[in-house]
């Protein structure tokens, strides 16, 4: 049976001229367990040395329900201040728009301040990608578009992306933007397959958005499957993993990367060895038969 194409060694971020590795690293958990700036720097080096140049954070990472807002960005900011040359080696992405104690805020006043605050915590002049973390249904997309365009014109953010948007929310923002959206970041994993069938990935291909998959291992559940669904999906991944001499988690990343939309899985591990191992996903090949076997296990029922 013929193989699906392997991912390229670099992808363009949407329609931009920014080249990113086909796998990213996420810093949701970076500020956990009192990690020091020295240890965070070691992780950043491990990521870059593994060939991953696409780093994803958010202003809310580190927030534990009461405090810690901004902590993950601030920790990365310390790393960058100590070694400014690292900035040139990475495509830096962050997000904003979730504003505790309110759920979401994308008013012009809030967004403009949130972008400035992120830059100041990260100790950088600009980020390469700024994403709306979750949609604020009380913000008019035309107004959001103007605010973000102003940030692009001011040189604070190079490109714009969305996360957790519905298809219609993405279409509405895209309609009002005079610059092109470049990314969308939904939850996608072999345990969360809604995107494959609800049109989100088809829209990404139509609009030229690079999809970034958050929680590509289902938040780690694929490494330790418990429910019958998780066990069935793990078994389908294990078949390919064992045949190609890689771990199940690597097979999971590569399964996402085999999709024609060019999905970029965001590795969530904060362990250097696991992050480096993730890059093995670039060489795992899939047949249609094996790929659909994972999908069928995730669906829990045969294809029609
Ligand atoms: P994930 O890769 O699904 O899960 C990572 C978790 O699994 C870590 O706690 C990791 O622990 C654990 N794990 C256990 N065994 C592992 C193994 N063999 N290999 C790798 N990890 C293993 O991803 P995630 O952390 O949930 O999310 C990834 C990124 O997506 C985040 O960092 C963030 O950038 C993004 N995200 C975005 C949103 C959004 O709303 N846009 C939401 C959630 C996440 P260790 O660290 O100990 O390895």
């Amino acid at each position: 049976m013929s193989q699906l194409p392997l991912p390229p060694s670099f992808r363009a971020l949407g329609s931009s001229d920014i080249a990113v590795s086909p796998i990213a690293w996420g810093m949701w958990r970076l500020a956990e367990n009192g990690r020091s700036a020295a240890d965070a720097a070691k992780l950043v080096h491990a990521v870059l040395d593994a060939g991953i140049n696409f780093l994803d954070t958010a202003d809310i990472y580190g927030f534990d329900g009461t405090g810690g807002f901004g902590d993950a960005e601030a920790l990365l900011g310390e790393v960058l201040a100590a070694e400014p040359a690292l900035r040139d080696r990475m495509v830096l992405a962050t997000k904003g728009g979730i504003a505790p104690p309110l759920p979401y805020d994308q008013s012009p006043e809030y967004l403009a301040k949130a972008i400035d605050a992120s830059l100041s915590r990260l100790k950088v002049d600009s980020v390469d990608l700024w994403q709306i973390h979750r949609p604020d249904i009380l913000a008019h997309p035309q107004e959001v578009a103007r605010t973000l365009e102003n940030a692009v014109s001011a040189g604070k953010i190079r490109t714009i992306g969305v996360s957790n948007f519905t298809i219609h929310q993405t279409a509405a923002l895209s309609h009002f933007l005079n610059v092109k959206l470049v990314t969308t970041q939904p939850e996608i994993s072999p345990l969360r397959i809604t995107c494959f069938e609800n049109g989100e990935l088809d829209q990404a291909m139509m609009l030229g958005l690079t999809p970034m998959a958050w929680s590509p291992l289902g938040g780690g559940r694929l490494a330790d499957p418990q429910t019958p669904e998780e066990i069935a999906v793990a078994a389908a991944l294990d078949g390919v993993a064992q045949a190609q001499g890689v771990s199940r988690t690597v097979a999971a990343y590569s399964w996402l990367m085999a999709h024609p939309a060019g999905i970029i899985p965001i590795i969530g591990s904060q362990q250097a060895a696991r992050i480096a191992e993730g890059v093995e996903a670039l060489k795992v090949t899939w047949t249609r038969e094996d790929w659909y076997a994972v999908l069928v296990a995730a669906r829990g029922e045969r294809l029609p």
Side-chain angles (χ1 to χ4, degrees):
M1 213 180 213
S2 66
Q3 310 281 334
L4 298 174
L6 282 167
S9 41
F10 279 91
R11 292 188 184 285
L13 199 58
S15 55
S16 77
D17 58 1
I18 301 174
V20 292
S21 48
I23 195 157
W25 179 56
M27 287 171 273
W28 178 19
R29 306 168 198 269
L30 183 69
E32 282 178 5
N33 307 318
R35 183 173 282 107
S36 67
D39 284 347
K42 279 188 203 152
L43 269 183
V44 171
H45 273 279
V47 169
L48 297 172
D49 292 347
I52 298 170
N53 78 340
F54 194 15
L55 279 72
D56 180 68
T57 188
D59 57 10
I60 200 162
Y61 290 171
F63 183 68
D64 62 7
T66 46
F69 186 96
D71 282 3
E73 283 187 339
L75 191 52
L76 183 63
E78 280 186 62
V79 172
L80 291 172
E83 203 178 337
L86 287 175
R87 176 69 186 95
D88 296 334
R89 293 178 63 194
M90 65 179 69
V91 173
L92 179 56
T94 193
K95 325 178 189 72
I98 304 180
L102 268 179
Y104 313 124
D105 192 343
Q106 276 132 49
S107 61
E109 306 73 35
Y110 177 84
L111 276 193
K113 277 195 199 136
I115 291 170
D116 286 347
S118 282
L119 296 182
S120 127
R121 279 188 294 264
L122 288 163
K123 299 189 168 59
V124 295
D125 299 327
S126 69
V127 290
D128 302 299
L129 171 67
W130 191 89
Q131 303 153 93
I132 305 178
H133 205 153
R134 286 188 177 274
D136 172 10
I137 54 182
L138 295 178
H140 195 296
Q142 186 166 28
E143 207 165 43
V144 175
R146 289 299 88 79
T147 311
L148 296 182
E149 280 165 7
N150 288 343
V152 171
S153 307
K156 295 176 180 179
I157 66 177
R158 279 177 77 188
T159 59
I160 302 165
V162 293
S163 182
N164 304 301
F165 268 43
T166 65
I167 292 168
H168 298 297
Q169 287 164 339
T170 302
L173 182 63
S174 179
H175 170 79
F176 288 114
L177 273 171
N178 291 315
V179 295
K180 280 202 178 281
L181 272 179
V182 298
T183 56
T184 179
Q185 188 179 137
E187 180 180 4
I188 325 176
S189 80
L191 297 177
R192 220 276 190 170
I193 55 168
T194 43
C195 274
F196 294 115
E197 297 186 22
N198 74 358
E200 277 182 68
L201 291 173
D202 305 287
Q203 179 189 45
M205 290 186 277
M206 277 176 63
L207 298 180
L209 310 178
T210 300
M212 302 166 68
W214 66 259
S215 289
L217 305 178
R221 283 179 297 139
L222 266 181
D224 183 22
Q226 300 293 332
T227 66
E229 181 216 346
E230 290 167 7
I231 290 167
V233 170
L237 289 167
D238 283 348
V240 169
Q242 282 158 16
Q244 299 190 45
V246 295
S247 67
R248 181 193 306 147
T249 52
V250 165
Y253 301 140
S254 68
W255 185 76
L256 297 173
M257 293 159 102
H259 189 277
I263 296 172
I264 295 186
I266 313 173
I267 296 182
S269 177
Q270 307 295 298
Q271 294 191 37
R274 285 179 171 173
I275 297 164
E277 185 202 15
V279 177
E280 291 177 19
L282 273 68
K283 62 177 202 280
V284 178
T285 51
W286 287 87
T287 61
R288 277 193 159 66
E289 194 177 32
D290 289 338
W291 197 92
Y292 273 107
V294 175
L295 188 80
V296 167
R299 285 166 58 100
E301 58 181 27
R302 297 205 336 234
L303 291 168

